[in-house]
Amino acid sequence: MKKPEILAPAGSLEALEAAVRCGADAVYLGQKNFSARANSRNFDAKELREAADYAHRFGVKIHQALNTVVFDRELEALKGCIRTACEAGVDALIVQDWGVAAAVKAFAPSMPLHASTQMAVHSPMGVKTAARLGFSRVVLARELSREEIKAIRESTELEIETFVHGAHCMSMSGQCYMSAMFGGKSGNRGQCAQPCRLPFWAGCPSAPKVGENVLSLKDMSLVERLPELAAMGIDSFKIEGRMKRPEYVAAAVTACKKAISGEEPDLDTLQAVFSRSGFTSAYFDGEMGREMFGFRRKEDVTAAAPVFKELAGLYHKDVPRAPVSMAFSMKAGEPAALTVTDGEHTVSVSGEIPREAASAPADLEQARKFLGKLGNTPFYLDSLTGEIGEGLTMPASAFNALRRDAAAKLEEARKEPPVPFADGEWPLLPEGRNSTLSPEKWGKFQSVSQVSSEALGEFSKILLPVPELEAHWEGGSAAKDRLGAVLPRFLFDSETEFLSRLAALKEKGLRYLYCDNAAHIALARKSGLEALGGAFLNLNNSYAVSQAEKLGLAAAVLSFEGKLEDMRKIRAEIPLGAVVYGYLPLMAVRSCPVKAQTGCAKCGRKGFVTDRKGISFPVRCDYDQSTSLIYNAVPLEMSDRKAEMGFLNFWLFSFAGETAEEVLAVIRRYNSGAKPAGEYTRGLYYRGID
């Protein structure tokens, strides 16, 4: 069985040293920009080179997080970031944005690409799309069970990386827009302000205020499960924590090393250094409930202080990591020779000609004493063989010179050449698409009951959940050429079931599948349906859209995190649209806070969470109940700003719980250009995100 990689976080050089000295096999870090942990110290170009040189000296790989979404106005800066990574000797890039992946393939085609957890890959079909995009490794969503991870591992030859310790986001990664909508600081840009860690209460009509900090989960820890994950064939065990202190990194790496080797990990120290009311393995065990929620308490903070000094002792000096074998030869009349190998690289050096010993001649024990002093190198002596002529000797300085020369030569041989950067022009894109002052209207609904006959005539695409299409297909035959299927936001282990249901609908005449994640796109391809890209694909730049088109998307909704002025500049051949109306989901969660606190029976699909200001946010489970969506308290509405949205090919109206009458009222406001009714938001279309 292949030994899995221990992948440690490094938000600073001190944390990197702690990871290397405690035995990590690889470290992930970020540059000063385009990193999903923008508030950690991160590394400039000089520091990145120093970090890579240091890690590589001990045989530790460097994975750089380049995992934020990017706008067209930032493409040259992105190119510079890729160049810096190549020149520094980075071993792989961790990427979320499909456009960033395209840029890496264009300018550094031999650089390995790892699909960030921000891509929300949660199923075998999601991995298939990642493979088509050129990724060699996938970092799985943190919300998966043991069985779901196993199924993904068995479905692909790609490397699989799983988080095994550290913070849980409440939302699926890459699918949280709460911080962006509240204050313009987007998690998809590495700027998350963590509003979810503030007080929130769960509620429903019969229990309006239950629990505390109901959007905050305990940190995950699967450290004791590492042998089980290794037996599954997981390639890399990832520790979360680029914002954490070096002591945290040291404790986590040490615990993982012990667990993999069969020793008992010190979970008490690990919990003392950082936790939120303890740890949880609820997702992995498939046992989600109230006990997995937790927040940082005063006692969690005070528990850390006593262990910091002790943990610092784990990483106060460099530790040799590479065992070497030596073959030493000392013959009369010939220069002494030493050959050293680390199992992959072999070097040979020669030194002084030995002389006859006046008293005690040299032997292998004496040679080991001198040649084994490898202290200031990444090596330690594992075995020594040799041939020493009778009655010969050399001074200590000659042995030491041989050792130094061989170690230096072996270090040089172990250096891998950096990934080449192929400078040049950006790949050509189309000049632009045909825009119109009369964009089509697309309507996304949760129920057929929302679609009146008047509304039916307004929309060129009518998007409905699969069960609604199955139940009402014959009744909607007049509009069947405009109907598109909407899958649950995340499929987890139900892909096979939905594939057969889509096939049955296609036989009846279904043409379109609305795709909100990478797995949906693979399902569309396999079922032969036309893929329409949704807003949660996080498409923010021309190259991301170009990649979407190559994957087979016939049209795409741009991310609602983009400003209108950025959207206007995106070049594409496929039709592009944007959400112009709807209660935007701020989070997509697998562990429903209302279910955990009140239970589904009390909720009756009328749950909500309330913040410390008394604002309530509706919580609705997806139609298959696999996930829940936490919606904004007020809708996005642009009814009186139609001219500013006219550059788009279509407008998406995303209806949640609106009645048929309310749907009609929205349409009429847009048709007349009237102002929104009641409270509303313009979203991020003008203010944008950091």
Side-chain angles (χ1 to χ4, degrees):
M1 183 175 69
K2 178 184 172 185
K3 178 179 174 290
E5 166 189 271
I6 296 176
L7 177 58
S12 66
L13 183 58
E14 294 80 8
L16 178 116
E17 290 173 345
V20 171
R21 290 169 178 173
C22 289
D25 302 295
V27 172
Y28 68 102
L29 46 71
Q31 286 189 44
K32 295 290 186 182
N33 53 1
F34 304 119
S35 165
R37 287 293 181 270
N39 294 321
S40 62
R41 281 170 54 185
N42 293 318
F43 296 77
D44 62 24
K46 179 175 179 292
E47 292 165 340
L48 186 62
R49 283 193 298 273
E50 291 172 353
D53 287 346
Y54 173 77
H56 289 162
R57 188 166 182 254
F58 292 90
V60 175
K61 292 188 178 296
I62 293 287
H63 302 171
Q64 182 187 320
L66 198 64
N67 58 341
T68 65
V69 296
V70 174
F71 300 102
D72 278 4
R73 54 186 153 83
E74 301 172 308
L75 290 175
E76 282 306 309
L78 170 67
K79 183 178 176 183
C81 196
I82 297 169
R83 181 201 295 271
T84 297
C86 291
E87 292 174 348
V90 165
D91 299 289
L93 290 174
I94 308 166
V95 170
Q96 170 191 10
D97 189 311
W98 298 353
V100 175
V104 174
K105 286 297 181 186
F107 300 115
S110 56
M111 176 69 78
L113 277 174
H114 297 176
S116 170
T117 191
Q118 293 289 116
M119 274 182 61
V121 177
H122 65 283
S123 65
M125 288 291 185
V127 175
K128 288 184 187 301
T129 299
R132 290 184 63 207
L133 287 165
F135 290 96
S136 59
R137 175 185 291 192
V138 173
V139 188
L140 296 184
R142 275 170 267 203
E143 295 77 15
L144 300 178
S145 70
R146 174 196 297 106
E147 290 75 20
E148 289 159 353
I149 294 171
K150 186 172 184 288
I152 292 171
R153 172 65 286 172
E154 292 173 352
S155 74
T156 183
E157 295 297 316
L158 266 59
E159 292 182 352
I160 297 297
E161 179 176 308
T162 61
F163 278 92
V164 298
H165 186 82
H168 266 314
C169 288
M170 185 68 197
S171 176
M172 296 279 283
S173 296
Q175 301 296 294
C176 183
Y177 307 93
M178 181 175 280
S179 179
M181 293 298 293
F182 284 7
K185 295 189 175 296
S186 170
N188 283 319
R189 295 279 286 176
Q191 295 282 357
C192 180
Q194 296 191 320
C196 53
R197 301 295 184 188
L198 295 172
F200 279 86
W201 293 267
C204 61
S206 63
K209 194 172 182 181
V210 185
E212 59 178 337
N213 294 86
V214 300
L215 296 186
S216 181
L217 299 176
K218 293 177 181 177
D219 284 15
M220 74 180 305
S221 190
L222 301 179
V223 171
E224 292 181 295
R225 312 295 185 85
L226 297 193
E228 187 178 349
L229 284 164
M232 283 185 199
I234 302 304
D235 298 283
S236 180
F237 297 153
K238 188 169 198 169
I239 300 165
E240 185 277 337
R242 280 194 286 145
M243 301 285 289
K244 301 291 199 310
R245 297 171 55 136
E247 292 90 345
Y248 167 91
V249 175
V253 171
T254 301
C256 289
K257 273 198 72 177
K258 286 187 174 181
I260 290 173
S261 65
E263 300 176 58
E264 189 74 25
D266 186 353
L267 296 183
D268 291 337
T269 297
L270 195 54
Q271 182 168 321
V273 73
F274 193 92
S275 82
R276 292 181 172 91
S277 313
F279 298 138
T280 181
S281 58
Y283 283 130
F284 187 75
D285 296 327
E287 297 175 354
M288 293 169 283
R290 186 183 299 184
E291 67 283 349
M292 71 185 296
F293 289 78
F295 57 96
R296 190 86 166 136
R297 305 163 304 178
K298 182 179 179 181
E299 50 264 46
D300 295 323
V301 177
T302 56
V307 302
F308 282 151
K309 186 174 181 181
E310 177 186 341
L311 289 169
L314 291 174
Y315 64 93
H316 71 284
K317 65 177 182 179
D318 289 331
V319 178
R321 297 278 302 267
V324 295
S325 299
M326 293 183 176
F328 175 66
S329 173
M330 192 166 74
K331 298 179 181 178
E334 298 179 13
L338 179 64
T339 297
V340 183
T341 181
D342 64 358
E344 185 178 352
H345 309 87
T346 301
V347 299
S348 297
V349 295
S350 58
E352 292 187 14
I353 296 174
R355 59 176 184 264
E356 289 188 12
S359 53
D363 57 20
L364 274 181
E365 278 306 307
Q366 184 189 45
R368 178 183 292 276
K369 175 183 173 184
F370 293 118
L371 298 176
K373 291 180 179 179
L374 291 160
N376 200 27
T377 75
F379 312 119
Y380 64 90
L381 181 57
D382 184 51
S383 65
L384 172 69
T385 59
E387 182 181 358
I388 299 178
E390 188 174 349
L392 300 177
T393 191
M394 281 196 320
S397 60
F399 280 104
N400 292 338
L402 269 179
R403 182 195 69 238
R404 285 193 300 270
D405 290 349
K409 196 170 181 181
L410 184 57
E411 280 203 55
E412 191 63 31
R414 283 160 56 93
K415 289 183 180 178
E416 295 185 13
V419 172
F421 179 83
D423 202 356
E425 296 298 319
W426 282 85
L428 288 175
L429 288 172
E431 286 301 314
R433 64 197 180 283
N434 294 323
S435 60
T436 173
L437 291 176
S438 300
E440 292 182 355
K441 294 190 189 80
W442 291 16
K444 182 170 175 279
F445 302 89
Q446 292 187 350
S447 168
V448 167
S449 65
Q450 295 172 293
V451 191
S452 64
S453 57
E454 183 179 338
L456 192 66
E458 292 281 347
F459 295 104
S460 59
K461 294 281 189 302
I462 300 159
L463 309 169
L464 287 161
V466 169
E468 291 292 296
L469 292 176
E470 291 170 329
H472 301 283
W473 184 266
E474 298 309 324
S477 58
K480 68 180 182 181
D481 60 327
R482 293 181 280 152
L483 294 176
V486 177
L487 292 166
R489 183 80 165 270
F490 302 100
L491 294 169
F492 300 107
D493 58 357
S494 60
E495 287 177 336
T496 302
E497 172 202 339
F498 275 99
L499 191 61
S500 63
R501 292 170 74 176
L502 290 173
L505 286 168
K506 185 173 186 293
E507 284 187 12
K508 294 180 179 181
L510 180 70
R511 289 179 55 191
Y512 306 106
L513 181 64
Y514 187 78
C515 301
D516 259 333
N517 61 55
H520 293 169
I521 296 171
L523 277 169
R525 180 182 174 89
K526 193 161 186 177
S527 61
L529 294 170
E530 236 178 282
L532 309 174
F536 304 113
L537 295 176
N538 294 326
L539 302 177
N540 283 285
N541 61 72
S542 299
Y543 288 93
V545 173
S546 176
Q547 290 291 90
E549 185 179 359
K550 289 175 183 176
L551 289 174
L553 267 66
V557 181
L558 297 174
S559 168
F560 52 77
E561 287 193 308
K563 294 173 73 172
L564 292 181
E565 64 184 71
D566 288 320
M567 292 181 179
R568 192 184 298 273
K569 296 171 184 174
I570 291 178
R571 290 176 291 165
E573 291 185 337
I574 59 174
L576 297 182
V579 179
V580 298
Y581 171 84
Y583 287 85
L584 298 177
L586 302 179
M587 284 186 176
V589 302
R590 194 168 193 190
S591 181
C592 177
V594 179
K595 178 182 178 181
Q597 300 297 328
T598 72
C600 290
K602 276 189 179 181
C603 170
R605 297 180 71 90
K606 295 180 180 179
F608 50 83
V609 294
T610 304
D611 70 7
R612 67 196 192 284
K613 298 178 182 178
I615 301 171
S616 290
F617 302 86
V619 180
R620 300 290 182 269
C621 53
D622 210 338
Y623 66 80
D624 70 340
Q625 298 187 319
S626 63
T627 53
S628 293
L629 302 177
I630 301 175
Y631 288 92
N632 202 4
V634 296
L636 168 73
E637 186 153 357
M638 302 290 288
S639 57
D640 56 339
R641 300 289 181 93
K642 291 195 305 181
E644 296 169 53
M645 310 288 286
F647 65 92
L648 296 161
N649 300 105
F650 63 92
W651 296 341
L652 179 68
F653 293 76
S654 184
F655 296 105
E658 293 88 344
T659 64
E661 292 75 19
E662 289 168 335
V663 168
L664 272 179
V666 170
I667 295 168
R668 289 165 181 164
R669 285 200 295 275
Y670 275 82
N671 287 344
S672 66
K675 287 185 176 296
E679 292 187 76
Y680 64 94
T681 177
R682 304 295 191 189
L684 298 159
Y685 288 158
Y686 298 102
R687 58 190 172 113
I689 55 177
D690 291 342

